[in-house]
C-alpha cells in the first residue's frame, strides 16, 4: 500500500525531531565541593605529656637548670650524678653506660672524692648547719632533671660519649674540663625544651585557626628556676701566702728623696690541698627519686 506524500513528509519531520533530541549533549555534572583538608593537632615531642611545664630561658637563650652558674667542683659532681642516672636508666640500650659508670668511680676515685669534699665545704660555708640539707635538696633536683622520661632515649648515647671522654682523661684534667662536659651532657635536655616550646607555639597557632570549640592549655606555667649552688669556698684555716697590694707598696719618702729599693714580694702560691674533715663518703648514697616509666 502506497503512503501519501503528505504522510511521508510528516514522518520525515518526526524522525528529524527524534534525531535532534538524541544529539543534544547531557548537562555537565555539578562541581564537586573542595576537598576537606585535615587539620592535625600538633603533638608533644618525644611522646611527652601535654601541658608539661618547662624552664624559662635565660638571657643567653639557654633554659635555666640546676647546672647553670656552677663551679668546676660542682660541675664535676653533677656529671657524676648524670652518669649515675644513665647507669640506672640506659640498660635498654645496652650495658655500656652502667659499665662506664663503675669504671669511672674506680679510675677517678680521688678526683671525685675531692670534688665531693669541696661541694660539702661550699654548702657548709654558705648555709651553715643547714648546708647538707640544702645540698641534698639540690641533688634531688639534679637527679630528677637527668631522669626526665622523654629525654632518656636521646640522653643515653650522649652519656656514653661523655663517660668515655672522662674515663680516657687524666684525673688532674677533670676539673678544668668539667663545665664543658656538663654542658655537653645537658644538651639533649636543652634541645628537648626548645622542641617543646616550639610545640606549644604551633599548638597555639592551631588553636587560633581550627580549635575554636576546643579548650587547650597552650601556655603551661614555667618551672621556677632551681637554686644556684654556692660558689667555691677555701679550705678551713687557709690564709693567703702573699701580701696585699697596699702592704706591698712602700710609703712615699717624707723628705722628697728617692724611695729605698724594696725587695720583690714573695711569689704567689695557691691554697694548700684540701683535707677532708667529714667522714669518708667516696661513694655517696644519694637517693634517685622514682619516676614513671614511658613507652618508647
Amino acid at each position: 500500500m502506497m503512503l501519501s506524500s503528505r504522510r511521508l513528509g510528516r514522518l520525515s519531520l518526526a524522525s528529524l525531531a527524534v534525531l535532534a533530541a538524541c544529539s543534544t549533549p547531557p548537562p555537565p555534572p555539578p562541581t564537586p565541593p573542595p576537598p576537606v583538608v585535615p587539620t592535625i593537632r600538633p603533638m608533644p615531642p618525644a611522646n611527652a605529656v601535654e601541658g608539661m611545664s618547662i624552664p624559662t630561658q635565660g638571657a643567653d637563650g639557654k633554659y635555666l637548670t640546676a647546672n647553670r652558674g656552677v663551679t668546676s667542683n660542682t660541675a664535676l659532681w653533677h656529671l657524676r650524678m648524670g652518669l649515675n642516672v644513665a647507669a640506672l636508666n640506659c640498660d635498654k640500650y645496652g650495658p655500656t653506660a652502667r659499665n662506664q659508670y663503675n669504671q669511672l668511680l674506680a679510675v677517678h676515685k680521688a678526683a671525685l672524692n675531692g670534688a665531693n669534699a669541696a661541694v660539702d665545704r661550699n654548702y657548709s660555708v654558705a648555709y651553715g648547719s643547714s648546708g647538707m640539707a640544702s645540698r641534698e635538696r639540690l641533688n634531688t633536683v639534679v637527679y630528677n632533671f637527668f631522669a626526665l622520661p622523654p629525654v632518656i632515649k636521646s640522653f643515653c648515647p650522649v652519656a656514653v660519649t661523655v663517660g668515655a671522654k672522662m674515663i680516657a682523661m687524666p684525673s688532674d684534667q677533670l676539673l678544668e674540663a668539667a663545665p664543658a662536659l656538663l654542658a655537653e651532657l645537658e644538651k639533649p635536655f636543652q634541645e628537648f625544651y626548645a622542641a617543646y616550646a616550639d610545640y606549644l607555639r604551633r599548638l597555639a597557632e592551631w588553636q587560633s585557626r581550627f580549635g575554636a570549640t576546643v579548650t587547650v592549655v597552650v601556655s603551661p606555667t614555667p618551672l621556677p628556676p632551681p637554686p644556684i649552688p654556692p660558689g667555691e669556698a677555701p679550705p678551713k684555716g687557709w690564709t693567703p701566702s702573699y701580701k696585699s697590694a697596699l702592704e706591698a707598696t712602700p710609703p712615699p719618702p717624707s723628705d722628697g728623696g728617692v724611695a729605698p729599693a724594696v725587695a720583690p714580694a714573695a711569689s704567689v702560691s695557691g691554697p694548700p690541698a684540701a683535707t677532708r674533715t667529714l667522714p669518708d663518703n667516696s661513694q655517696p648514697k644519694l637517693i634517685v627519686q622514682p619516676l614513671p616509666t614511658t613507652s618508647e
Side-chain angles (χ1 to χ4, degrees):
M1 181 178 178
M2 300 296 294
L3 296 175
S4 66
S5 59
R6 180 178 295 179
R7 190 171 182 182
L8 286 173
R10 290 175 180 174
L11 290 174
S12 299
L13 292 174
S15 300
L16 290 173
V18 171
L19 291 174
C22 293
S23 63
T24 302
T31 303
V36 177
V37 179
T39 57
I40 302 176
R41 175 178 169 177
M43 298 301 292
N47 295 321
V49 298
E50 296 183 357
M52 177 180 173
S53 295
I54 62 175
T56 57
Q57 284 181 291
D60 59 355
K62 299 288 186 181
Y63 291 89
L64 302 181
T65 73
N67 296 318
R68 76 192 194 284
V70 298
T71 67
S72 291
N73 280 305
T74 302
L76 180 55
W77 198 250
H78 285 198
L79 279 168
R80 177 210 169 277
M81 287 194 284
L83 296 179
N84 185 197
V85 172
L88 296 173
N89 288 354
C90 296
D91 275 352
K92 65 175 68 176
Y93 306 111
T96 304
R98 181 180 293 274
N99 293 339
Q100 281 184 340
Y101 179 71
N102 292 331
Q103 187 178 359
L104 182 74
L105 295 182
V107 172
H108 296 309
K109 180 178 179 179
L112 293 172
N113 284 349
N116 183 56
V119 176
D120 273 355
R121 183 171 62 248
N122 296 343
Y123 275 89
S124 295
V125 171
Y127 299 105
S129 60
S130 65
M132 293 304 99
S134 298
R135 182 183 180 188
E136 288 301 321
R137 283 194 294 270
L138 186 63
N139 284 344
T140 300
V141 172
V142 175
Y143 268 114
N144 287 340
F145 167 79
F146 282 116
L148 187 63
V151 192
I152 289 296
K153 185 175 182 179
S154 57
F155 165 64
C156 288
V158 175
V160 168
T161 298
V162 171
K165 290 181 180 179
M166 293 179 68
I167 292 171
M169 188 177 295
S171 291
D172 59 4
Q173 295 180 11
L174 282 179
L175 278 180
E176 182 180 356
L181 290 172
L182 182 60
E184 183 177 352
L185 192 65
E186 189 185 73
K187 186 178 179 182
F189 299 88
Q190 292 285 339
E191 291 175 344
F192 169 76
Y193 292 144
Y196 202 93
D198 181 67
Y199 149 72
L200 292 176
R201 178 193 60 78
R202 292 184 290 106
L203 181 61
E205 180 182 352
W206 177 88
Q207 170 74 1
S208 65
R209 295 179 61 189
F210 308 113
T213 61
V214 181
T215 301
V216 179
V217 178
V218 296
S219 298
T221 303
L223 293 175
I228 299 177
E232 204 68 39
K236 184 178 180 180
W238 175 78
T239 57
S241 60
Y242 57 90
K243 294 182 178 180
S244 68
L246 180 62
E247 294 171 332
T249 304
S254 58
D255 58 357
V258 179
V262 178
S267 60
V268 177
S269 62
T275 57
R276 183 167 184 82
T277 58
L278 298 177
D280 178 73
N281 60 345
S282 58
Q283 296 185 10
K285 295 180 174 59
L286 301 177
I287 301 174
V288 179
Q289 299 299 306
L291 292 165
T293 58
T294 57
S295 59
E296 294 296 334

